[in-house]
Amino acid sequence: MGVIGVQLVVTMVMASVIQKIIPHYSLARWLLCSGSLRWYQHPTEEELRILAGKQRGKSKKDRKYNGHIENKPLTIPKDIDLHLETKSVTERDTIALHYFPEYQWLVDFTVAATVVYVVTEAYYSIVKPSQEMNISVVWCLLVLAFAVKVLFSLTTHYFKVEDGGERSVCVTFGFFFFVKAMAILIVTENYLEFGLETGFSNFSESAMRFLEKQGLESQGPVSKLTFKLFLAVLCSLIGAFLTFPGLRLAQMHLDALNLATEKITQTLLHINFLAPLFMVLLWVKPITKDYIMNPPLGKESVPLMSEDTFDTVRLWIIILLCALRLAMMRHHLQAYLNLAQKSVDQMKKEAGRISMVDLQKMVARVFYYLCVIALQYVAPLVMLLHTTLLLKTLGNYSWGIYPELNSDTPVENSLLPSSVNSESPPADGKMKVTVVQITMALGSLKNIFTPLLFRGLLSFLTWWIAACLFSTSLFGLFYHQYLTVA
């Protein structure tokens, strides 16, 4: 099973690009600093004094008259006529942003991994190697690991806040998604066609045959109940990580709709918000089988496409919806940045006074957490995209929509290298014996972890990420629309 070759060259070239070129030509930095995003600058102390009609007193009596005592900060009326100045986001401004290195690394590494995936797919479609490991799978797994790590870091940040209720929200949604996952996993495949049951049965049978060849008696590596319980725990963690990204997306969606003036932009914003729902419906069997693949025309059902073609169309739909979400990213980030002016306008409606420091923090906090919001927007998108790419590769799907372009290789044996079934080389040395043993072991593992298992598992995970994102976004939409006091 060779790894050295074209794939290794592509990996080494991309590693050099990440190290040498991407720091100077960064997509992450361009998304923020291209000039389309404008942030609100906090007013200086002198500007606030002028607006409040106060001057810095020289004596203690003057400072007390102006609302400032030795141990008390200077305060101003909340209904002050304050208008914030805007400025385009520049590269120098991003230095002070929280989580900017994590945001830049996640986006740029995702771009690099996607390029490696595209090149590898082209290589496999042209050369069709049978004894090489697809190295793009490793890149996709690394992207998913980085995305989960970033979401975990953001979630732990909410747990450190003692006064707010963010910790309770995360725990509540975590238990809610655990119960929801358990309910989904007991639903028969007549309604949700993940293929988990078929994949797990194939995995158990292959593992039992492997253990029998090794002279071991076993009823399977793991029971179905344990397998589903492990999946439910994993799903609850994913749901907890996606809680605040979904809630934040709902607020940005409402604000972006208020900012949008063109009908096409508003339509795209609605499609972008409903994109996870469209992804969820792609695995609902009554919809896909009865209305898409076999639409009823009169008294008869006309087959519109085959099952393989629909699987390919489903992959393309998810990728196009992910591209739409990336295209609408700036509209959502600008809607978030406008929260600074929105907070000031809300403050003007209140009575009382506010300290200058609190006012400056209220305005500056919005911009300093821009990359946190960008990560909450990008990380679920990255997870959806690369889970779909893994589903295509490990599930042995095809990018060709027409049946004649699809792969004719059987699903069960598509990942089995031909070198495993060939005769072993003469064992004239310990090195050759070791190579043969490793090759046969990897071949046996590929017989156990078949595309049927990956199809069921990755289909379910892709569906679950979309379902969690839509559930939290829908709850956030209801909360910000009806429960938040205007």
Side-chain angles (χ1 to χ4, degrees):
M1 183 180 298
V3 177
I4 298 177
V6 176
Q7 297 189 75
L8 181 60
V9 172
V10 172
T11 297
M12 295 176 64
V13 170
M14 190 52 63
S16 300
V17 170
I18 292 176
Q19 183 179 8
K20 303 295 184 181
I21 299 179
I22 285 184
H24 303 285
Y25 300 96
S26 171
L27 176 64
R29 192 165 57 244
W30 179 78
L31 289 173
L32 297 182
C33 308
S34 61
S36 59
L37 292 179
R38 301 189 65 85
W39 62 286
Y40 290 86
Q41 296 178 292
H42 65 81
T44 62
E45 187 176 342
E46 293 297 330
E47 293 173 350
L48 292 176
R49 279 201 181 94
I50 293 175
L51 291 175
K54 298 180 179 181
Q55 297 179 356
R56 183 184 295 273
K58 297 182 179 180
S59 63
K60 182 176 181 180
K61 182 179 179 180
D62 294 336
R63 293 196 297 270
K64 182 177 180 180
Y65 176 76
N66 288 332
H68 176 74
I69 311 180
E70 294 298 331
N71 297 325
K72 184 179 179 181
L74 181 63
T75 61
I76 58 175
K78 289 186 176 181
D79 58 350
I80 191 174
D81 188 18
L82 175 62
H83 299 281
L84 302 178
E85 296 181 358
T86 61
K87 177 186 176 184
S88 298
V89 180
T90 61
E91 295 184 10
R92 180 175 297 180
D93 298 330
T94 59
I95 298 177
L97 297 181
H98 297 284
Y99 283 91
F100 178 74
E102 290 83 353
Y103 160 76
Q104 185 176 10
W105 171 253
L106 178 62
V107 174
D108 292 340
F109 188 83
T110 301
V111 172
T114 306
V115 172
V116 171
Y117 183 88
V118 172
V119 174
T120 305
E121 286 294 304
Y123 169 69
Y124 267 75
S125 63
I126 297 173
V127 181
K128 295 180 175 58
S130 59
Q131 300 184 19
E132 293 187 14
M133 184 188 73
N134 195 328
I135 204 169
S136 64
V137 173
V138 179
W139 284 83
C140 293
L141 290 175
L142 287 175
V143 170
L144 292 177
F146 290 137
V148 172
K149 176 182 177 298
V150 166
L151 290 176
F152 174 76
S153 177
L154 294 177
T155 305
T156 54
H157 178 75
Y158 287 114
F159 270 79
K160 294 178 182 178
V161 179
E162 297 181 356
D163 298 333
E166 290 85 355
R167 183 187 309 173
S168 301
V169 172
C170 288
V171 174
T172 302
F173 271 91
F175 278 106
F176 165 74
F177 283 120
F178 177 77
V179 176
K180 181 179 178 180
M182 293 294 293
I184 293 297
L185 289 172
I186 64 176
V187 174
T188 63
E189 294 190 1
N190 294 328
Y191 300 100
L192 295 173
E193 51 169 354
F194 303 127
L196 267 177
E197 299 289 340
T198 305
F200 180 78
S201 300
N202 182 270
F203 166 72
S204 299
E205 293 174 1
S206 301
M208 289 176 62
R209 286 196 300 266
F210 173 76
L211 293 175
E212 288 176 359
K213 290 181 180 179
Q214 304 299 322
L216 301 175
E217 294 183 1
S218 175
Q219 297 181 352
V222 64
S223 64
K224 184 181 295 186
L225 179 62
T226 305
F227 174 72
K228 291 189 173 182
L229 182 62
F230 172 77
L231 271 184
V233 173
L234 178 62
C235 290
S236 66
L237 292 177
I238 294 176
F241 293 162
L242 295 178
T243 297
F244 280 99
L247 297 176
R248 176 63 65 179
L249 177 63
Q251 183 180 10
M252 291 191 296
H253 172 71
L254 293 175
D255 295 337
L257 283 177
N258 295 329
L259 291 176
T261 56
E262 300 179 356
K263 292 294 184 180
I264 183 64
T265 303
Q266 295 178 354
T267 303
L268 291 176
L269 286 172
H270 284 300
I271 296 176
N272 178 59
F273 183 80
L274 295 175
L277 176 62
F278 298 150
M279 299 179 190
V280 168
L281 295 179
L282 290 175
W283 274 277
V284 179
K285 199 169 185 179
I287 296 178
T288 59
K289 299 293 185 182
D290 299 339
Y291 294 99
I292 298 180
M293 296 177 58
N294 299 294
L297 297 176
K299 297 181 179 180
E300 298 180 356
S301 296
V302 179
L304 184 62
M305 64 181 73
S306 63
E307 189 170 351
D308 293 337
T309 301
F310 176 75
D311 292 335
T312 302
V313 171
R314 179 164 52 195
L315 297 177
W316 280 112
I317 290 176
I318 296 176
I319 291 176
L320 290 177
L321 291 176
C322 289
L324 174 63
R325 176 148 294 196
L326 179 63
M328 305 305 295
M329 177 178 176
R330 290 179 179 174
H331 294 275
H332 291 82
L333 293 183
Q334 186 60 57
Y336 166 75
L337 290 174
N338 291 345
L339 286 179
Q341 183 63 51
K342 188 177 179 180
S343 301
V344 172
D345 295 338
Q346 180 66 28
M347 180 194 69
K348 293 179 181 180
K349 301 177 182 179
E350 301 174 357
R353 305 178 69 85
I354 185 174
S355 66
M356 289 186 178
V357 176
D358 292 339
L359 176 58
Q360 291 173 339
K361 286 182 179 180
M362 181 181 65
V363 176
R365 187 184 297 115
V366 175
F367 176 65
Y368 290 149
Y369 283 94
L370 175 62
C371 286
V372 175
I373 307 304
L375 279 173
Q376 291 179 338
Y377 187 89
V378 170
L381 166 64
V382 168
M383 294 176 64
L384 277 172
L385 176 62
H386 281 267
T387 307
T388 305
L389 297 181
L390 283 176
L391 174 60
K392 186 271 168 190
T393 301
L394 296 179
N396 195 33
Y397 287 118
S398 173
W399 293 119
I401 296 179
Y402 297 102
E404 59 268 21
L405 297 179
N406 289 344
S407 176
D408 297 329
T409 307
V411 175
E412 290 81 0
N413 300 323
S414 61
L415 292 182
L416 180 62
S418 59
S419 60
V420 175
N421 297 326
S422 61
E423 295 183 358
S424 302
D428 53 352
K430 293 183 179 180
M431 184 62 67
K432 291 184 177 181
V433 173
T434 305
V435 171
V436 171
Q437 291 177 349
I438 294 176
T439 303
M440 295 183 65
L442 292 177
S444 301
L445 288 178
K446 286 195 171 184
N447 278 332
I448 297 175
F449 298 97
T450 61
L452 283 177
L453 173 64
F454 289 122
R455 283 189 179 189
L457 188 59
L458 292 174
S459 295
F460 175 74
L461 290 179
T462 305
W463 182 90
W464 180 255
I465 293 172
C468 290
L469 193 59
F470 181 72
S471 299
T472 53
S473 300
L474 192 63
F475 177 81
L477 188 67
F478 175 78
Y479 175 80
H480 293 294
Q481 192 77 13
Y482 301 103
L483 300 182
T484 304
V485 181

